[in-house]
Amino acid sequence: MLELESLSVGQYGFINNVFSFGLAVMASSTLFVWLMKGSVAPAYRMAMVITGLVTAIAGYHYLQIMLSWQGAATINTGEVLVTGEGFNRAYRYVDWLLTVPLLLIELILVMKLSKSDTMSRSVKLGGAAALMIILGYPGEVSSEVGTRALFWILAMIPFLYIVREMVVGLKDSIARQPDEVKGLINAAAILLVVSWAFYPIVYLLPLVGITGGSAIVAVETGYTIADIVSKAVFAMLIFLIAVRKSAADERELVAEAAKQGEQKTPVKKVA
């Protein structure tokens, strides 16, 4: 477990600013997504609701993380003094337990798959994501190197399953999407995988020689950057996908209506 006593005043203030920035990004993303929900077709509004819910949950937890950070230590006569309240790292894992499965579900919903495929993929991917977070927590709060390494390995098993499903399992479903959104959906899936790959790397930092205040700065900043990319940036991609798919669906309806109109028009006989 990382100890706050090793922080310098500058490091303590920097991390506090990182948490504040994370809160601002999540809050603004939530407002944007929910306010723009009406600009997409009804079929994609549930995906938008869940997208905003993800950033709203993350924003709430960043507020709690920041308050816990401020309560765990204080600055006095140029030194960081631990108050004894402790910094609650569980807030991150509660957030991930709720938001990580939802991130996968919002991508599946915006793809507008069949009901059976949507349910099946949501349960499998959401369950694997929850298991990954649960397995990672004991190592995060442990002061034992062996324990941290063991739970990192265990958490990587469902993580690799998710990566396989995102890269290979969704390939056929992405291929059936409208041409104008195939690239965006593929980019969203890759973004999710790449940003999530950042978490196990940050998780390992205390095990590769980075210690003291530098380790705390690296871990908390790394997790925050990964959160912003996988939630706020991902939310903007989901919004763009929903907008383009709405336009594609509308063009398809117009073309179908025009086709039916031509079929109903009687053909005049030439005298």
Side-chain angles (χ1 to χ4, degrees), residues 2 7 10-22 26 62 65 69 87 89 92 96 140 195 198-199 201-203 205 213-229:
L2 305 175
L7 286 166
Q11 289 172 331
Y12 175 83
F14 176 79
I15 295 175
N16 192 65
N17 290 334
V18 167
F19 293 153
S20 178
F21 179 71
M26 298 303 176
Y62 265 97
I65 290 170
W69 180 259
F87 175 50
R89 290 181 173 84
R92 280 201 184 279
W96 294 339
E140 182 72 50
S195 62
F198 205 58
Y199 291 103
I201 294 173
V202 174
Y203 191 97
L205 290 179
S214 298
I216 299 175
V217 170
V219 168
E220 298 304 333
T221 303
Y223 281 154
T224 302
I225 292 173
D227 277 345
I228 289 173
V229 173

Side-chain angles (χ1 to χ4, degrees), residues 40 43-48 50-51 103-113 118 177-178 181 184-185 188 234 237-246 249:
V40 304
Y44 307 106
R45 287 176 188 171
M46 180 56 70
M48 297 295 291
I50 293 178
T51 300
L103 283 168
L104 294 167
I105 292 172
E106 69 184 72
L107 177 61
I108 292 169
L109 285 175
V110 83
M111 290 175 68
K112 198 180 176 183
L113 306 177
T118 297
Q177 298 294 310
V181 296
L184 277 177
I185 294 176
F234 186 72
L237 277 177
I238 293 296
F239 171 70
L240 289 175
I241 292 169
V243 168
R244 290 192 182 182
K245 289 203 70 175
S246 297
D249 288 354

Side-chain angles (χ1 to χ4, degrees), residues 17-243:
N17 290 334
V18 167
F19 293 153
S20 178
F21 179 71
L23 170 60
V25 171
M26 298 303 176
S28 57
S29 298
T30 301
L31 287 175
F32 174 82
V33 170
W34 281 349
L35 289 174
M36 297 300 291
K37 179 171 67 71
S39 63
V40 304
Y44 307 106
R45 287 176 188 171
M46 180 56 70
M48 297 295 291
V49 170
I50 293 178
T51 300
L53 182 61
V54 166
T55 52
I57 292 171
Y60 166 77
H61 283 104
Y62 265 97
L63 174 61
Q64 294 299 328
I65 290 170
M66 187 170 64
L67 292 176
S68 178
W69 180 259
Q70 293 170 351
T74 185
I75 297 176
N76 188 19
T77 63
E79 293 182 348
V80 176
L81 302 177
V82 177
T83 63
E85 292 184 17
F87 175 50
N88 191 349
R89 290 181 173 84
Y91 283 127
R92 280 201 184 279
Y93 278 81
V94 173
D95 170 57
W96 294 339
L97 186 61
L98 295 171
T99 59
V100 170
L102 289 176
L103 283 168
L104 294 167
I105 292 172
E106 69 184 72
L107 177 61
I108 292 169
L109 285 175
V110 83
M111 290 175 68
K112 198 180 176 183
L113 306 177
S114 66
K115 288 184 179 180
S116 60
D117 201 14
T118 297
M119 180 62 68
S120 175
R121 292 185 183 277
S122 296
V123 171
K124 290 179 181 178
L125 290 173
L131 180 61
M132 176 180 66
I133 301 305
I134 292 170
L135 289 173
Y137 181 69
E140 182 72 50
V141 298
S142 175
S143 58
E144 299 293 330
V145 173
T147 302
R148 192 177 186 92
L150 172 62
F151 282 97
W152 180 86
I153 293 171
L154 293 175
M156 286 299 291
I157 296 172
F159 172 75
L160 292 175
Y161 168 76
I162 293 171
V163 170
R164 179 189 176 280
E165 286 298 306
M166 296 293 285
V167 175
V168 179
L170 289 177
K171 191 173 182 179
D172 291 340
S173 298
I174 293 174
R176 293 194 295 269
Q177 298 294 310
D179 291 338
E180 54 264 58
V181 296
K182 285 181 182 178
L184 277 177
I185 294 176
N186 192 52
I190 293 173
L191 176 71
L192 213 53
V193 169
V194 172
S195 62
W196 282 10
F198 205 58
Y199 291 103
I201 294 173
V202 174
Y203 191 97
L204 285 177
L205 290 179
L207 304 180
V208 295
I210 301 177
T211 59
S214 298
I216 299 175
V217 170
V219 168
E220 298 304 333
T221 303
Y223 281 154
T224 302
I225 292 173
D227 277 345
I228 289 173
V229 173
S230 65
K231 295 181 175 70
V233 177
F234 186 72
M236 297 303 106
L237 277 177
I238 293 296
F239 171 70
L240 289 175
I241 292 169
V243 168

